[in-house]
């Protein structure tokens, strides 16, 4: 391993691209880079892609030093190792996996820009000066001045739309990098996006996956947090990280001024219109666009209540009623369970098959600290992880064979993804099509939640729904768990339809499976990376993605603020266009 | 070292007290125990005290196992080592220092009670149950129910008076141990005790000394925190730790019912009187009692403003005025500096000599993690640390000889404690008599703050003050930085004068120096340990003491809640009486 690293370092420093490329496996090889070499989030797949990247980027990267970190790990198939590296402009952390002496996967990630290191740990600020001064402001005075002036006297360099975990995590990173930032959110308090969800909602990921940057969750917190607990935490986080947030604030329009190279953003805050002129605009509005409700014949004549799943708060008013839930993904299941707790008569209408994954009640806590797990997980290129996901999914199917059989017997349409990569595969490709089972499937198996599958609602009548299979169900309420517009729809709403088309689809890898058309891109489209629209960025996903990728997005923004020489490898295609397949 | 530990363990398990005692140095030896052996906070000084303790406590302690932890550390004078131990009821951590094969200092501290371990880390709760349930409450519902019922439908087992860092840290420990607890505080919001201080106040201890339990400060926080920043943190802490606090609430009276073995506490909350019946009452009201203002002849005829230092918020109204500050400790200095920033003409009246210690601007961050530093510091008995404090103090005097000479030249009366143990000695003995220099001394040296020393105010006239040295100073304002009643005065105010007398003086070691009369007790009187009043406890001190000792106080309270067999070694003297010396 040490020899490989030393030889690779030497080849790069000598500009011997072909020598470097020959150290990768001719059969299968990947180089995944987070900002350090490409100023992008990119995976180079195969020797020729790697060769192209090095030819284009090596001059900019400059002189490189690479140091193995710790002992290399030998397993049956090969050997792998952490390493630290330094380029002309940055320090980074990497991971390399060798097979038969050649590189199978190489991972490089930027940790910090030289000269712009975070003032943390041994670099932390004094906070107080131990000499008397007549001019010095107190911490409170400085903080109040910053809050008062940002967006009014001082333009934010970066405007973040959305104050959920994504916006806050990014805001925190930018704060630590000294990037003047303003976050706007339509709700009154940070955390409200969680608080306003239905009351039984808990996080599906274990607490150790969910840390935000800089302030980990307390070590006594439960494995699965309630939505109100995370809501309160986010509010605390915004305060403690001293983020500048305008709550109860809505973006009316945003337009990029190509001359001034800045955005003109019209914002409504407390009834007044404010114009902001940030250089960078980040949409951290979540994976979903606006709620999508089908226009069903007869809906206007329905005598009961009907609403989209995103409006579901509490089932109390539906106690004992006949309720139809259209949809079969996470929120459909959670709402069905919630209705069952008040003894509603619940029927789920499953239009197409769904993946189900049982969430373990007591998963073992991990051995590696969070930053290492983050990097290790990021080090595996998406293409290479497909077979791992498939193995996991097949193992799950074997271990839970009885459960899945029972679910099918109850009439539930089950699938494990087009290529058996299960829920994980679907998450990265389309972020939908699955249920993370926290108890709903058992109610389906027991018949306490009824399922009508491979059908949909054809027509709504005054007190019933007519299904496409011809049957008719009594209905006091219809809840549409029918999903959301894609996240890029926010671009159309806030900026322009033209910009939405140019930027195109967000999320998905180009796997050429349902809702993720090809060509293969190998990274999540448009996420945390330069888009076809200058100065426009997307940030979103799970808490752990928010934690991990907020760093790389923040470093890209900081680099631009500091006018570093930035040449982006594999820039986004122009006119990527909307999602078209299936 | 391993042999010593094994032999000591064997002697204890065989009940061979004299064999165990003979393993301590005949010349000088100490055993400091935090709860584990004594159910007290106690230092046994010398072989006979150790022998007495073992004779009394060994049966209760039961079978013991002791395991060295890590490598023993050899230095010039001896060898020392960490160890883990387990008794019949508890697990603990210890530290032992051997000199010439015999024990010089032994430290034992309880970490957790067996069967009552904190649900944290690998023991953390699931938080969500992955089966559907009709009865289950959400986290928010449970939390709201707890807040609604504690103190009304459900009596707190423990009532903590004071919601500063002490009360909150203890509340957090008790929460983790499942002790039903209510905290009351007279101010509107947690953290207000800090917020309402004068605006320039910063913590004098570095951030890494100040962590509260369970949620350390973020790694990017400044070394010295502003009072408003710590105020906000405390408010966040109370919320995140889910503590039950009644703010804007005052204790009117408290009386211990000897029959029912519980307190009857009259509390005024939002204009209404509420009667609480806790079994344990903790005064976490800070090291100070009420402000102490001298009754000076003529004060009523003074035409300017006069107030106690605790009421000083901001100097703006005193810009350009002649201001007399009576007193020369920390707040006197800080207020003088604050007045100087608005160009007041400031004179400090120094009645008696003061210790001064320069606070370093950029102290190096420590190598050991906080829990280890806490235990290492606690492992040194107070008597044994005197020579260490003296060495430090003498080193400081040598290194800052010029500074101290300049200060004396400016007329400032300087001392380093009666036995040259400096500020640290004074802190543990009387918690007063010093200034932690953050810039004020330079202003004294430069004459920008004037000092009149070895004098006091004899009389106040309409627009001046007359000093005992006969001189007269013009005065538009007089600020009394004249200190506070001792902390035990709260007992007289809230409970009774009789109880105050029986409980007697708090803090101080019995060093027989100014304001700390003998006899030697070797521990801070009444702090975090059983007092002469059943069910009454004191908790207070710096942030680091709050963090460290809240654990031992919480374990003592938990032991009583669970009716564990508790025999207290060295119970508090009855009728200790008030402080009498000097």
């Amino acid at each position: 391993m040490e020899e490989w690293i030393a030889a690779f370092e030497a080849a790069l420093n000598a500009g011997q691209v072909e020598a470097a490329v020959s150290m990768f496996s001719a059969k299968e090889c990947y180089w995944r880079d987070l900002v350090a070499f490409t100023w992008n989030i990119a995976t180079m797949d195969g020797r020729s892609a790697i060769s192209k990247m090095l030819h284009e980027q090596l001059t900019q990267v400059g002189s490189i030093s690479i140091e193995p970190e710790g002992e290399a790990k030998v397993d049956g198939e090969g050997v792998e190792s952490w390493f630290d590296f330094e380029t002309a402009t940055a320090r980074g952390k990497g991971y390399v996996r060798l097979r038969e002496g050649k590189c199978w996967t190489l991972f490089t990630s930027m940790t910090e820009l030289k000269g712009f290191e975070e003032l943390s740990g041994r670099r932390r600020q004094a906070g107080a000066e131990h000499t008397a001064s007549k001019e010095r402001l107190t911490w409170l005075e400085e903080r109040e001045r910053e809050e008062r002036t940002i967006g009014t006297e001082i333009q934010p360099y970066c405007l973040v739309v959305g104050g959920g975990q994504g916006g806050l995590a990014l805001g925190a990173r930018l704060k630590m990098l000294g990037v003047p930032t303003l976050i706007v959110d339509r709700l009154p308090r940070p955390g409200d996006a969680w608080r306003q969800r239905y009351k039984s909602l808990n996080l599906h990921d274990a607490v150790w996956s969910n840390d935000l940057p800089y302030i980990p969750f307390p070590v006594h917190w439960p494995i699965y947090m309630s939505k109100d607990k995370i809501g309160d935490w986010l509010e605390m986080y915004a305060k403690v990280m001293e983020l500048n947030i305008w709550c109860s604030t809505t973006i009316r329009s945003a337009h990029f001024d190509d001359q001034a190279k800045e955005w003109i953003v019209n914002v409504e805050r407390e009834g007044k219109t404010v114009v902001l002129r940030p250089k960078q605009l980040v949409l951290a509005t979540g994976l979903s666009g606006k709620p999508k409700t089908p226009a069903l014949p007869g809906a206007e004549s329905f005598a009961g209540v009907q609403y989209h799943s995103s409006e579901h708060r509490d089932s109390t008013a539906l106690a004992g009623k006949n309720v139809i839930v259209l949809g079969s993904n996470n929120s459909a299941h959670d709402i069905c369970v919630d209705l069952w707790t008040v003894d509603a008569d619940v029927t789920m209408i499953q239009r197409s098959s769904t993946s189900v994954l049982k969430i373990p009640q007591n998963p073992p806590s991990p051995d590696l600290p969070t930053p290492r797990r983050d990097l290790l997980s990021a080090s595996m290129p998406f293409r290479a992880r497909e077979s791992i996901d498939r193995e996991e999914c097949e193992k799950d199917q074997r271990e839970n064979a009885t459960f899945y059989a029972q679910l099918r017997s109850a009439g539930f349409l089950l699938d494990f993804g087009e290529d058996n990569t299960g829920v994980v595969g679907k998450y990265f490709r389309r972020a939908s099509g699955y249920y993370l089972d926290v108890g709903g499937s058992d109610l389906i198996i027991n018949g306490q939640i009824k399922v009508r599958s491979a059908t949909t609602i054809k027509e709504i009548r005054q007190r019933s729904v007519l299904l496409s299979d011809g049957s008719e169900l009594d209905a006091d309420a219809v809840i549409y768990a029918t999903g959301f517009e894609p996240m890029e729809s926010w671009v159309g709403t806030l900026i322009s339809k033209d910009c939405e088309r140019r930027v195109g689809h967000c999320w998905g890898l180009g796997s050429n499976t349902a809702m993720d058309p090809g060509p293969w891109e190998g990274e999540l489209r448009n996420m945390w990376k330069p888009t076809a629209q200058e100065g426009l960025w997307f940030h979103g996903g799970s808490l752990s993605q928010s934690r991990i990728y907020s760093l790389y997005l923040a470093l890209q923004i900081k680099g631009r603020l500091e006018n570093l020489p930035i040449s982006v490898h594999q820039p986004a295609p122009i006119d990527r266009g909307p999602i078209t397949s299936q």
Side-chain angles (χ1 to χ4, degrees), chain A residues 47-337:
Chain A
R47 281 182 165 185
S48 77
I50 292 167
S51 166
K52 182 163 185 287
M53 186 277 278
L54 287 176
H55 277 295
E56 286 180 19
Q57 302 295 114
L58 215 42
T59 313
Q60 174 177 264
V61 166
S63 146
I64 300 162
S65 69
I66 312 181
E67 280 293 324
E69 189 236 272
E71 292 284 297
K73 199 178 119 193
V74 182
D75 71 18
E77 291 182 79
V79 55
E80 41 196 76
S81 175
W82 292 101
F83 60 87
D84 294 300
F85 66 95
E86 195 169 326
T87 68
T89 52
R91 292 180 201 89
K93 185 69 92 175
Y95 200 78
V96 58
R97 296 180 180 87
L98 305 184
R99 297 280 180 270
E100 295 167 359
K102 298 281 186 184
C103 178
W104 171 45
T105 72
L106 178 64
F107 171 69
T108 48
S109 69
M110 189 186 286
T111 308
E112 58 187 6
L113 286 162
K114 286 153 84 169
F116 306 103
E117 296 83 0
E118 293 184 358
L119 299 178
S120 184
R122 288 177 192 271
R123 280 202 181 97
R124 69 169 97 213
Q125 291 173 299
E129 280 172 63
H130 290 165
T131 51
S133 155
K134 295 193 181 183
E135 282 75 38
R136 192 188 302 144
L137 294 182
T138 67
W139 168 81
L140 183 63
E141 287 167 336
E142 279 190 18
R143 180 74 195 109
E144 287 175 344
R145 183 169 71 175
E146 184 181 339
E147 287 192 299
R148 198 173 56 241
T149 54
I150 188 114
T152 54
E153 293 165 43
I154 294 168
Q155 283 302 317
Y157 180 77
C158 181
L159 179 67
V160 179
V161 184
Q165 64 268 14
L168 298 181
L170 178 64
R173 300 278 192 193
L174 292 169
K175 178 99 191 179
M176 293 294 289
L177 289 173
V179 178
T181 299
L182 179 64
I183 302 169
V184 293
D185 195 273
R186 68 191 164 90
L187 297 171
R189 286 191 299 156
D192 276 352
W194 285 95
R195 291 194 191 93
Q196 68 173 15
R197 303 289 302 278
Y198 48 92
K199 72 172 191 175
S200 60
L201 178 65
N202 283 299
L203 295 193
H204 291 126
D205 291 320
V207 64
W208 48 78
S209 311
N210 292 333
D211 283 332
L212 294 180
Y214 312 114
I215 316 182
F217 292 113
V219 71
H220 64 280
W221 271 30
I223 300 176
Y224 299 108
M225 257 177 284
S226 154
K227 54 121 187 165
D228 293 291
K229 202 169 162 90
I230 182 77
D232 285 354
W233 181 263
L234 293 179
E235 186 173 2
M236 174 288 291
Y237 186 82
K239 173 101 182 167
V240 168
M241 291 303 302
E242 300 173 23
L243 307 183
N244 303 308
I245 308 192
W246 288 358
C247 289
S248 303
T249 297
T250 344
I251 307 285
R252 290 292 168 214
S253 68
H255 168 76
F256 191 71
D257 179 336
D258 277 308
Q259 248 71 57
K261 295 285 180 199
E262 67 187 21
W263 291 91
I264 302 165
V265 185
N266 281 290
V267 157
E268 193 173 305
R269 184 192 190 197
E270 294 161 5
K272 279 183 219 145
T273 299
V274 182
V275 179
L276 297 172
R277 291 182 165 273
K279 302 285 183 191
Q280 310 293 339
L281 178 66
V282 180
L283 296 187
T285 39
L287 289 191
S288 311
K290 295 194 174 154
K292 211 165 64 182
T293 307
L296 293 174
E300 71 291 347
S301 67
F302 186 55
V305 293
Q306 50 184 333
Y307 54 80
H308 186 266
S309 60
S310 58
E311 289 166 52
H312 184 78
R313 300 286 175 273
D314 185 276
S315 297
T316 319
L318 299 176
K321 308 274 187 179
N322 294 311
V323 188
I324 307 297
V325 176
L326 179 62
S328 56
N329 285 352
N330 259 327
S331 47
H333 277 83
D334 284 352
I335 290 170
C336 285
V337 172

Side-chain angles (χ1 to χ4, degrees), chain A residues 450-468:
Chain A
K450 294 175 223 161
V451 179
R452 303 297 291 267
S453 55
T455 182
T456 186
I457 301 177
K458 196 173 136 193
E459 188 187 328
I460 296 197
R461 297 184 173 171
Q462 196 179 0
R463 305 199 172 277
S464 65
V465 299
L466 191 66
L467 302 187
S468 57

Side-chain angles (χ1 to χ4, degrees), chain A residues 538-551:
Chain A
F538 294 88
H539 178 57
S542 63
L543 281 141
S544 77
Q545 287 173 304
S546 290
R547 174 184 66 248
I548 298 171
Y549 290 96
S550 55
L551 171 63

Side-chain angles (χ1 to χ4, degrees), chain A residues 440-496:
Chain A
S441 295
D442 279 344
L443 295 184
I444 289 173
I445 290 169
N446 300 336
Q448 299 189 277
I449 294 171
K450 294 175 223 161
V451 179
R452 303 297 291 267
S453 55
T455 182
T456 186
I457 301 177
K458 196 173 136 193
E459 188 187 328
I460 296 197
R461 297 184 173 171
Q462 196 179 0
R463 305 199 172 277
S464 65
V465 299
L466 191 66
L467 302 187
S468 57
D469 63 11
S471 57
E472 185 171 358
L473 302 174
D474 289 344
D476 300 308
V478 180
I479 299 174
Y480 301 100
T482 41
F484 298 82
E485 301 291 335
M487 68 190 291
E488 62 268 23
S489 67
W490 288 116
V491 178
T493 307
L494 302 177
I495 306 170
S496 70

